[in-house]
Amino acid sequence: MHTTPARILAMVITAVLFAAGLTVIGQTDPAEAAAKYCTGIEANSSVTAAKAIEVKQRSTTTADIYLCKKSGHRYVRDSGPFKARLGYNGSTSSKREGDGKTPKGVFWMRNGFGTSANPGLGKPWTKVTRDHVWVDGDATKAEGYNTMQRKSEGYEGESLYQPKPYKYAQVIGYNEARTPGKGSAIFLHANTESMKTAGCVSMYESSLVKAMKWEGTTKTQILIH
């Protein structure tokens, strides 16, 4: 059979396209593959938990949150990004009381609290009243600094009965040694009316509930960077 140059060219093009198709099927685009993993968490050896929340700073006061789960030797993005807010003065690796900054680093996620019932976090939950405070600043009782206490027992501090930001909230385990002046009351909570925090990490309420349900009973760390 006589084959024309045009027919030969068409056959070559078809073969190239077929081979390219097989390559695409067998491989994943590098950018697409990278997007599946929490590389910031993987770069920090302090993160060891089965689940980790990555708070990746975008600007002075904003961040993206990714929910990451350990799979083998890698951390895979389960969900996100969710929009988040940081302290009104940004973030810092040297947190001080009253500086308006969110502490950078790796911390354990602790118990939850709120003016409403637990939305699905699988950890101890305190439904707060007007009597509940978080002892901050110049603690009236030094042993209570950076802990939840009651005004009726002689403690002073930030009121936890705040239906907007603290409808749902979870304690970030920062300054658990309770060193005076190093900073206190660092929470993951719902956004405030002003969309500002004094050092916490805040999210839209619907996103926060998703994160709490995702966390469940699993011991979880948070990386703020």
Side-chain angles (χ1 to χ4, degrees):
M1 180 179 70
H2 178 67
T3 305
T4 64
R7 183 177 177 82
I8 293 173
L9 179 61
M11 292 171 65
V12 170
I13 292 175
T14 299
V16 170
L17 291 176
F18 180 74
L22 291 178
T23 300
V24 170
I25 291 172
Q27 296 183 358
T28 302
D29 179 81
E32 182 183 347
K36 295 179 180 179
Y37 299 106
C38 298
T39 53
I41 284 178
E42 292 178 340
N44 194 310
S45 60
S46 295
V47 182
T48 58
K51 288 184 177 181
I53 300 170
E54 182 178 14
V55 182
K56 190 173 183 179
Q57 192 165 1
R58 287 191 295 112
S59 70
T60 301
T61 60
T62 64
D64 288 326
I65 285 182
Y66 297 92
L67 306 181
C68 306
K69 183 170 62 178
K70 197 168 188 179
S71 177
H73 298 293
R74 304 217 64 178
Y75 278 92
V76 179
R77 287 180 177 174
D78 258 1
S79 193
F82 299 105
K83 293 181 180 179
R85 291 282 178 157
L86 304 176
Y88 56 76
N89 281 330
S91 63
T92 179
S93 298
S94 302
K95 172 73 180 170
R96 301 298 299 172
E97 186 77 39
D99 62 5
K101 296 180 180 181
T102 299
K104 290 182 177 180
V106 178
F107 314 103
W108 288 96
M109 297 302 294
R110 301 304 189 186
N111 296 351
F113 68 90
T115 58
S116 292
N118 189 342
L121 179 68
K123 294 174 174 63
W125 184 272
T126 300
K127 188 174 180 182
V128 295
T129 68
R130 296 181 188 279
D131 194 33
H132 288 90
V133 295
W134 196 274
V135 183
D136 58 3
D138 297 322
T140 53
K141 293 186 177 182
E143 69 272 17
Y145 179 69
N146 199 27
T147 63
M148 180 189 295
Q149 301 292 343
R150 290 179 178 270
K151 290 188 290 184
S152 60
E153 296 176 0
Y155 292 92
E156 294 180 2
E158 179 186 1
S159 172
L160 297 182
Y161 193 80
Q162 299 184 49
K164 175 62 177 173
Y166 297 159
K167 180 178 180 180
Y168 308 118
Q170 186 176 6
V171 178
I172 294 175
Y174 169 76
N175 190 18
E176 294 189 302
R178 307 206 302 267
T179 304
K182 194 175 179 180
S184 58
I186 305 301
F187 311 132
L188 177 65
H189 63 73
N191 285 331
T192 64
E193 292 286 356
S194 66
M195 300 295 285
K196 295 180 180 180
T197 87
C200 296
V201 178
S202 71
M203 306 170 67
Y204 286 109
E205 185 181 301
S206 59
S207 300
L208 177 61
V209 170
K210 288 178 183 178
M212 287 181 166
K213 289 181 177 178
W214 168 84
E215 190 177 331
T217 60
T218 306
K219 290 183 177 180
T220 302
Q221 288 175 295
I222 186 169
L223 166 64
I224 304 171
H225 70 117

